[in-house]
Amino acid sequence: MTNNPRTDGGDAVVSAFNAAGADYVFCSSGSEWAPVWEALARRHRDGEPAPRYLDLTHETVAVGMATGYGLIERRPQGVLLHAAPGLLQGSMAVHGALLAGVPMVVASSESTTYGDAPGHDPGGQWYRNLSIVGGPHGIAQPFTKWSTEAASVHTLPVMITRAAELARRAPAGPAYLNIPLEILLEEWDGRAAKPVVPPGSTHSSPEEVDPVAQLIREAANPVIVTETAGREAGGFEALVAFAEAWNIPVVEPDSAVCGNFPRTHPLHAGSDIGPWMDTADLVLLVNCRAPFYPPSRRPSKARIVVIDEVPQRPHVVYQVLFADTYLEGNVANTLRQLTKRARDLDERAVEVRRAAQEERHAAEESAIAAAETKAAEAKGVDPVLVAATLRRLVHGQDAIVVDETITHSRVVKRHLRTADPDSYFYVQGGLGQGIAVALGVKLAAGERPVVLTIGDGAFTYNPVIPSYDASNAYELPLLIVVFNNRVYKSMNLNHRRFYPDGAAAETGEWLGTDLHRLPRLAAFAEPFGMHTETVDTSEALAPALERALKAVAEGTTAVVDVLVTR
């Protein structure tokens, strides 16, 4: 790009997001972004390239959609928030992106002159209300991977592309830039950043992999435990090949944040590592940040091998892995190397553990079938019936499930039984992001149907109106299924556990839990012309979900509020 006196910092921002390879800029509007809006308008007028701009009406929606998009695409997108207040409003979702390992470049602004310099007046609101001591990059530091200020328009493009490159590298996560309004308004000389290329990959050496292969070869009762192997490009497929080659069962604990292994696979061993704590002689932690709880609990006799590109997560305050061996290259590459070494196995030992896993798998299949039969025969709508019915109705449609349930999360995972890469994601961090994350997933997934499973408590935390607005404005139809038990049940568990014979147990005064006073949750979608259903009988469940899926296929978000019995 040659020098162009018409351009300013706003155009530098757009140019940099182009160079970073961002498909979208997710923006919750703030007055500082007028230079960016002008740059986009000029580029649209002149036919010049620019990321697609999404105009969103809540910070959680902007960040959450960038998170959902990044879960599928695994590339950093741009997120623009407003000053320190907008950053604070979106901070829970930014922290959720950090926990989910999603790269993005988040930016907001401040004023550095407060109107006391010549040129454009930034406005008195910066002097009175919007600024924060130390700058917004100071408050962003604890919940981002990297946080700093862009102090010059001449370094701004490279600061943005550097933030994108840092965000994408392991452990992936959001990077933050404070871009003062005065920098955005300053004339830019057009020196654009060089386009960003994908990062290279690291490999564990044969000298490191061979001893681990020998440990597996010698193990009689190994087990794989994973939380996020499926988050890595190719990780899902590599884990399946590895487990099959060595015939090792795979546990996905309740803390798993995505689908890592087919839940229908004979080697899938459920979500409880407990049965292996005293019997396993080798535990392979594959992208598993927190396998044991409490952290002091460890297997009694097993060697522990950690396979993870960055096993010690810098953002995890307290992390205990009990590692005996680390393999720290790219996880998919490491698993492929170990798969190639699956030879000279002790066939007798393999047959013993194969038989044990077949017995566990058969028992789990029977337990799932029994639970679904019981749910179908129960009065009212049991949550197991909801998950099982959803599974049946979306079978063969290549659907993606985004889950923001708490009380029913185990039910959703166990009975929806997702089996493909990028088919299940659990929303990370605080509740209230699920609709936005699902919208971002839909934005990336195209024609694949996206189902959001959500509790009534989590639903009320979401910015529902801005989320529905985004769904309509950008033609992103979802199926939203509310598991509505009319109570903050998870809130009540500790009260009952800590004070089983307390005053609340005596009088029935359980505070902080009752949601019966809420109106019909599906009704909030009606002003947006969306399909709505409220279900309170098992007979009505399947027809309602069928109608809702038909509406989604025709391009309309559908909300089904299911009044479950527990």
Side-chain angles (χ1 to χ4, degrees):
M1 182 180 237
T2 58
N3 290 1
N4 187 335
R6 295 178 302 168
T7 59
D8 58 18
D11 207 76
V13 169
V14 176
S15 172
F17 279 126
N18 273 341
D23 302 315
Y24 291 92
V25 172
F26 301 85
C27 183
S28 176
S29 298
S31 56
E32 67 263 50
W33 300 119
V36 171
W37 298 333
E38 178 63 21
L40 287 167
R42 184 186 64 77
R43 283 172 174 260
H44 294 159
R45 181 197 66 192
D46 297 344
E48 296 178 6
R52 186 179 176 193
Y53 177 87
L54 300 188
D55 203 358
L56 306 163
T57 55
H58 196 282
E59 292 84 356
T60 299
V61 177
V63 181
M65 286 185 66
T67 299
Y69 190 84
L71 285 169
I72 300 293
E73 295 295 338
R74 298 179 174 87
R75 293 181 288 104
Q77 306 300 307
V79 179
L80 305 182
L81 306 178
H82 178 41
L87 174 63
L88 288 168
Q89 181 73 48
S91 61
M92 180 186 68
V94 177
H95 182 244
L98 180 69
L99 297 179
V102 173
M104 63 181 67
V105 178
V106 181
S108 69
S109 197
E110 66 176 341
S111 174
T112 55
T113 65
Y114 305 103
D116 275 343
H120 295 289
D121 180 5
Q125 70 273 19
W126 296 93
Y127 182 47
R128 291 185 290 267
N129 297 324
L130 297 181
S131 296
I132 192 164
V133 174
H137 49 293
I139 61 174
Q141 188 171 5
F143 52 84
T144 56
K145 183 179 177 181
W146 181 77
S147 177
T148 193
E149 176 186 9
S152 167
V153 72
H154 305 296
T155 60
L156 177 57
V158 175
M159 290 289 280
I160 290 174
T161 55
R162 170 169 160 74
E165 293 197 296
L166 283 167
R168 191 170 183 180
R169 279 159 174 78
Y176 172 79
L177 273 179
N178 166 23
I179 310 175
L181 178 54
E182 289 81 357
I183 300 300
L184 290 167
L185 291 166
E186 189 174 341
E187 185 174 315
W188 177 48
D189 62 12
R191 288 181 293 176
K194 183 181 183 297
V196 169
V197 298
S201 62
T202 58
H203 297 256
S204 295
S205 69
E207 291 80 10
E208 295 169 314
V209 174
D210 285 340
V212 171
Q214 187 59 29
L215 286 175
I216 302 172
R217 199 170 288 116
E218 295 169 354
N221 192 24
V223 63
I224 298 165
V225 187
T226 183
E227 291 177 327
T228 62
R231 188 178 63 194
E232 313 300 328
F236 188 101
E237 298 88 342
L239 182 59
V240 172
F242 169 62
E244 289 178 342
W246 291 90
N247 203 73
I248 305 174
V250 178
V251 173
E252 286 185 285
D254 291 332
S255 52
V257 306
C258 59
N260 303 288
F261 197 81
R263 287 194 164 260
T264 54
H265 197 288
L267 285 173
H268 195 287
S271 61
D272 184 12
I273 194 176
W276 280 270
M277 293 300 286
D278 293 323
T279 61
D281 54 0
L282 182 66
V283 176
L284 299 151
L285 301 180
V286 181
N287 263 29
C288 196
R289 63 203 158 149
F292 314 116
Y293 189 83
S296 57
R297 180 187 186 219
R298 63 161 299 163
S300 60
K301 62 182 181 181
R303 304 268 318 254
I304 296 176
V305 175
V306 174
I307 302 173
D308 198 318
E309 192 164 3
V310 185
Q312 293 295 337
R313 300 285 198 275
H315 60 268
V316 176
V317 175
Y318 184 60
Q319 187 182 16
V320 183
L321 298 175
F322 297 112
D324 294 295
T325 303
Y326 287 107
L327 289 179
E328 297 190 38
N330 174 272
V331 168
N333 287 336
T334 301
L335 293 176
R336 293 185 192 111
Q337 289 191 61
L338 288 168
T339 299
K340 293 176 182 176
R341 289 162 170 78
R343 54 183 179 268
D344 301 325
L345 307 184
D346 183 338
E347 293 301 331
R348 182 177 178 183
V350 169
E351 185 54 40
V352 168
R353 69 172 177 258
R354 179 185 291 118
Q357 176 56 24
E358 286 175 354
E359 184 177 341
R360 281 189 294 264
H361 183 69
E364 175 66 1
E365 292 286 303
S366 296
I368 289 172
E372 293 180 1
T373 298
K374 181 180 178 181
E377 296 171 349
K379 292 182 179 181
V381 187
D382 189 281
V384 168
L385 181 64
V386 181
T389 305
L390 269 174
R391 182 189 72 235
R392 176 173 60 83
L393 293 178
V394 302
H395 179 72
Q397 296 189 36
D398 197 22
I400 303 173
V401 176
V402 178
D403 186 20
E404 197 179 27
T405 61
I406 297 293
T407 301
H408 302 112
S409 61
R410 292 181 182 179
V411 168
V412 169
K413 289 177 183 176
R414 191 183 191 203
H415 293 277
L416 273 174
R417 309 191 74 193
T418 54
D420 300 308
D422 292 339
S423 61
Y424 173 85
F425 298 102
Y426 190 78
V427 177
Q428 295 296 288
L431 296 173
Q433 309 169 60
I435 306 177
V437 172
L439 288 169
V441 167
K442 180 62 179 176
L443 184 66
E447 295 304 312
R448 294 179 67 183
V450 176
V451 179
L452 172 67
T453 53
I454 187 170
D456 50 327
F459 183 89
T460 61
Y461 287 137
N462 273 258
V464 173
I465 291 173
S467 297
Y468 287 168
D469 172 65
S471 174
N472 273 359
Y474 298 108
E475 299 180 341
L476 300 171
L478 306 174
L479 171 58
I480 301 174
V481 180
V482 184
F483 285 67
N484 188 348
N485 57 9
R486 283 82 71 202
V487 64
Y488 279 129
K489 193 168 185 179
S490 61
M491 309 291 191
N492 189 239
L493 294 179
N494 275 351
H495 194 160
R496 292 179 180 272
R497 183 165 53 191
F498 296 159
Y499 305 97
D501 302 314
E506 180 182 346
T507 64
E509 185 182 9
W510 300 106
L511 300 177
T513 64
D514 185 23
L515 292 177
H516 281 87
R517 64 183 182 271
L518 293 178
R520 289 191 305 117
L521 298 184
F524 291 97
E526 291 173 1
F528 292 88
M530 296 173 173
H531 181 91
T532 65
E533 303 255 4
T534 299
V535 175
D536 60 1
T537 66
S538 57
E539 295 79 11
L541 176 64
L545 290 174
E546 288 173 345
R547 289 189 295 269
L549 282 166
K550 183 175 185 293
V552 172
E554 293 171 351
T556 302
T557 283
V559 184
V560 182
D561 183 17
V562 185
L563 307 184
V564 293
T565 55
R566 58 187 175 93

